[in-house]
Amino acid sequence: IFSKASSSLEDLGESSSETDEDEQPIRRQEGGTDLSPEYWGIQKLAKYIKGGDPTATLIALCSMRDLNLSQEVCQLAIKDTGCLEVLINLLDTEEIKCQTGSLKILKEISQNALIRHAIADLGGLEIMVKILDSPDTDLKCLAAETIANVARFKRARKTVRQHGGIKRLVELLESISVESSSQAEDTETARCGALALWSCSKSTKNKKAIRKAGGIPLLARWLKCSHTNILIPIVGTLQECASEPSYRLAIRTEGMIEDLVKNLSSEHEELQMHCASAIFKCAEDEETRDLVRKHEGLQPLSALLDKSENKQLLAAVTGAIWKCAISRENVLKFQEYKTIETLVTLLTDQPEEVLINVIGALAECCQEQENRGAIRRCGGIAPIVKLLTETNHALLVNVNKAVGGCAMEPENMLIIDSLDGVRLLWSLLKNPNPDVQASAAWALCPCVENAKNSGEMVRSLVGGLELIVNLLKSKDKEVLTSVCAAIANIAKDQENLAVMTDHGVVPLLSKLANTNNNKLRRHLAEAIAHCCMWGSNRVAFGETKAVAPLVRYLKAKDPLVHRATALALYQLSEDPNNCVIMHENGVVKV
Amino acid sequence: AAMSRKGVKLLVDSLTRSAKHFNKSEVECLVNLFDTLVARASSQFAGAGFDRTVFRDTLHSAFGMTDDVVLDRVFSTFDRGNNGCITVVEWVEGLAVLLRGTLEEKMKYCFAVYDLNGDGYISREEMFQMLKNSLLIQPADEEPDEGIKDLVEIALKKMDYDHDGKLSFEDFEKAVRDEKLLLEAFGPCLPDIK
């Protein structure tokens, strides 16, 4: 019926979190069956490691480091010659120099996914965790850094935890005082320990283990250090763990928001990104949103929008701004910094990840009337409407919200309508995702209310009324609620109400009446109230048994429900049969 | 001949200064140990010092150093007077490097140990000498010496920066600064931390 324009924007989405390599990585078929020269070189050296005394072993190990260990050919050769096993066996001896020499190699080659899996398979992780107990600092650092590399897949992280690795890493960091980290040795130990912890923290059970081992006050302490290369993994860990409510609570109560805000002004973009990410996750909570404002974090966030070439940073910052904008006081602050205007410039030519957040932020800012006008004045309406043709569900949900927010101003509505915005929104009612459907329906409410010639506009959408009435058959509560709200608005136009009645809106509404969900009850009652005003709908509602349940709504505690229900009952009472039913159900008493 | 109390005190003071890494009471202990060792040794040197055998036994029992070739060389580095006798000064100053030397001092010491003929270079032949027992498991199809010769070549390739087929002190120093693990490349000659 109406065409759903296919998305013309390419999917530039970058994922900021590492893709997890849970399955065994597949080895690329190398051309040719000849063994590489690297293979022979390594095999020769492996001979001395396997069969030599520590002196010979060390010479061979040191020599091996001169080979280009970052090349895959070399890395695979170490595995294929059986040298990897030998290296791991060396770790199990008490020869500190040999352990050190071996780890220096393992640290390099564990950058390769195949090697990582092999190291884990050969039991290397358990040994490295044991080495964390060694008195030799260099050795501990190497072990920690190698663990950080290997733990990039789930099974490895589990192994580290099961062998007491999390505990030891936390203890490692506890054993150094933040102040003394001016000593090079201590700085290095802290850096490596933090890297390992960060790597491990990507698993949910490890996040819990870190917390149980006393990791949270530890992270709070290290958050105050001034070395960027320690701060990055520390904030990285915090940001990773901030998906857990217990961490978010601690971040708030242990005063970490202040430190995170402070580091937004760092010179290092990676650090800024992780701080913004942490704030993004924590700002789900109102108290955190207030804390960000109190510690003057909103201004640096807004300023960071200028760093638009760094997409990962931009995604984190826009995300933080989005969530902070849920609080009205923060929106007022953003107004001061002209954040809205800057956000509008980011509506085009940005990867999906950024767009979702930008649009989410603008949607929240529409809470304030001032901003709805500001968006229009800087030409924001058109790009927002254009985004209605996107396909990403999360993005669409936010776009719908933004369109709905803008549509609250009649002047904006003119533009939206001229750009075919209502038709595009209506199309989204056909989207398979219920969140998209619901958000579209919610957005349609202000559209219908504020459009010029609203009734005609709705009628012009071929099959549109039938579509929306049929959505009353959905199983999703939010869809039902939003559709009722939309129908309540549409029904204010008599002609459209007639059409909807023909499509069976009355029995469909009545079927929904038996619900305990107050939000649904409220909008359903409103819809019923407005749908009464046509033909014999009042009677029909009575016949389809909508009246009795409505009376029960009056027992709810929610005043909004009462108001809507009263309105509905008032309308329904114009039919004498309905009055009887109401009386039978004790409406006067209620 | 035993020294007078004043003589001992002067000696301890002087040694504390020259050896740099020990404090006075540590020097005293070492001097006392020296006296014990001298008493044990033959009276060949009339109490001025002790000989190679006593030295080797002491280092063996104190530090677990067992390689005879190495121990011989260590003795030679201690014995700066080159008279086959370790005096108290040579003893304390030698131990200072062994136990607490800076990286520079240790590098010089190790190089001296490995430079078997003292000509300022570690040659292929010398490396062969030191590594000849390092290959415990020989592949059956190989000449026993081939393995060691190859190892010598590997070591040279790693450490011979000026490509003259032998290791000067500059070569050795550069290699160790680049990779500290190579300090005792040709055999343990420093006491174990444990």
Side-chain angles (χ1 to χ4, degrees), chain A residues 72-137:
Chain A
E72 186 164 57
V73 183
C74 277
Q75 295 161 344
L76 294 179
I78 292 182
K79 177 169 177 288
D80 294 337
T81 52
C83 191
L84 187 60
E85 259 184 270
V86 178
L87 288 173
I88 294 179
N89 287 340
L90 272 182
L91 290 184
D92 217 1
T93 65
E94 300 269 299
E95 294 277 350
I96 292 186
K97 291 214 271 279
C98 292
Q99 290 172 304
T100 307
S102 168
L103 272 175
K104 282 186 180 178
I105 296 173
L106 289 171
K107 184 183 92 169
E108 289 289 322
I109 63 177
S110 57
Q111 308 269 10
N112 178 306
L114 265 163
I115 302 286
R116 290 202 271 280
H117 276 75
I119 293 178
D121 290 338
L122 290 166
L125 277 170
E126 295 90 309
I127 306 176
M128 285 187 234
V129 168
K130 253 201 306 187
I131 292 181
L132 291 174
D133 286 335
S134 165
D136 186 297
T137 316

Side-chain angles (χ1 to χ4, degrees), chain A residues 305-528:
Chain A
L305 289 173
D306 291 333
K307 295 242 174 104
S308 56
E309 312 77 40
N310 182 333
K311 298 303 176 192
Q312 281 193 328
L313 174 58
L314 193 57
V317 170
T318 50
I321 291 177
W322 170 19
K323 294 295 172 172
C324 285
I326 295 175
S327 290
R328 188 174 170 262
E329 296 96 326
N330 292 353
V331 174
L332 293 174
K333 277 274 174 209
F334 282 134
Q335 275 168 231
E336 276 175 50
Y337 308 133
K338 301 259 169 263
T339 311
I340 286 93
E341 283 79 355
T342 316
L343 285 171
V344 169
T345 65
L346 294 172
L347 283 171
T348 45
D349 291 326
Q350 294 295 339
E352 228 163 51
E353 230 192 347
V354 172
L355 277 178
I356 295 177
N357 299 343
V358 169
I359 262 279
L362 286 171
E364 293 299 331
C365 289
C366 283
Q367 293 173 48
E368 287 297 304
Q369 192 180 24
E370 169 70 36
N371 293 332
R372 299 177 212 147
I375 293 177
R376 180 185 69 251
R377 281 190 294 273
C378 59
I381 309 267
I384 292 178
V385 171
K386 181 146 187 263
L387 288 173
L388 285 169
T389 55
E390 282 294 315
T391 51
N392 178 302
H393 293 159
L395 179 54
L396 283 174
V397 168
N398 285 357
V399 175
N400 290 345
K401 215 173 161 199
V403 173
C406 290
M408 300 210 281
E409 295 301 305
E411 272 191 73
N412 292 355
M413 201 45 225
L414 281 173
I415 307 178
I416 293 175
D417 200 12
S418 73
L419 293 167
D420 231 3
V422 181
R423 180 180 65 80
L424 291 169
L425 260 183
W426 213 288
S427 299
L428 290 175
L429 293 174
K430 291 195 293 187
N431 189 292
N433 182 298
D435 293 331
V436 176
Q437 291 174 340
S439 53
W442 283 119
L444 282 171
C445 298
C447 284
V448 170
E449 209 180 306
N450 293 311
K452 238 162 81 157
N453 303 323
S454 161
E456 229 178 271
M457 171 187 80
V458 172
R459 267 194 298 284
S460 71
L461 298 167
V462 180
L465 290 169
E466 183 178 357
L467 171 63
I468 199 165
V469 168
N470 278 327
L471 275 178
L472 288 173
K473 298 178 192 161
S474 165
K475 302 261 180 284
D476 183 289
K477 278 263 158 39
E478 190 69 14
V479 172
L480 292 174
T481 312
S482 57
V483 168
C484 286
I487 288 179
N489 270 293
I490 298 168
K492 292 179 191 167
D493 176 282
Q494 288 274 295
E495 268 191 69
N496 290 336
L497 178 49
V499 176
M500 286 201 292
T501 307
D502 284 343
H503 287 303
V505 72
V506 173
L508 286 171
L509 284 174
S510 297
K511 256 216 291 218
L512 298 174
N514 274 318
T515 172
N516 285 326
N517 182 311
N518 276 340
K519 201 169 163 205
L520 177 54
R521 282 173 165 188
R522 172 191 158 196
H523 291 286
L524 179 60
E526 270 175 23
I528 291 178

Side-chain angles (χ1 to χ4, degrees), chain A residues 47-48 51 53 65-66 104, chain B residues 134 136 142 147 150 158 179 185:
Chain A
K47 187 175 71 176
Y48 296 102
D53 71 353
R65 290 202 54 221
D66 285 341
K104 282 186 180 178
Chain B
S134 281
L136 310 170
E142 220 181 60
D150 276 344
K158 175 80 191 157
E179 177 53 80

Side-chain angles (χ1 to χ4, degrees), chain A residues 44-45 47-48 50-56 58-60 62-63 65-67 94-98 100-101 104 136 138, chain B residues 131 133-137 139 142 146-148 150-151 154-155 157-158 178-182 184-188 193-194:
Chain A
K44 186 156 147 201
L45 291 174
K47 187 175 71 176
Y48 296 102
K50 283 186 219 179
D53 71 353
T55 302
L58 264 173
I59 293 177
C62 294
S63 184
R65 290 202 54 221
D66 285 341
L67 299 171
E94 300 269 299
E95 294 277 350
I96 292 186
K97 291 214 271 279
C98 292
T100 307
K104 282 186 180 178
D136 186 297
D138 282 342
Chain B
L131 294 174
N133 296 317
S134 281
L135 198 53
L136 310 170
I137 306 170
E142 220 181 60
E146 280 307 303
I148 307 295
D150 276 344
L151 186 59
I154 291 171
K157 187 162 167 229
K158 175 80 191 157
D178 177 61
E179 177 53 80
K180 209 161 147 245
L181 291 171
L182 289 171
E184 294 173 82
F186 300 109
I193 322 168
K194 286 181 292 185

Side-chain angles (χ1 to χ4, degrees), chain A residues 170-209:
Chain A
V170 170
E171 278 165 16
L172 188 65
L173 284 168
E174 271 174 353
S175 67
I176 311 169
S177 86
V178 180
E179 293 73 34
S180 95
S181 63
S182 53
Q183 301 275 44
E185 226 181 40
D186 280 352
T187 313
E188 188 58 10
T189 309
R191 182 186 75 87
C192 296
L195 277 172
L197 209 60
W198 183 15
S199 209
C200 289
S201 69
K202 297 203 162 82
S203 287
T204 311
K205 287 202 178 147
N206 286 1
K207 296 182 193 6
K208 292 197 171 66

Side-chain angles (χ1 to χ4, degrees), chain A residues 167 170 174 208-220 247:
Chain A
K167 210 162 63 77
V170 170
E174 271 174 353
K208 292 197 171 66
I210 294 174
R211 180 164 45 87
K212 290 213 175 98
I216 296 185
L218 180 70
L219 291 167
Y247 274 87

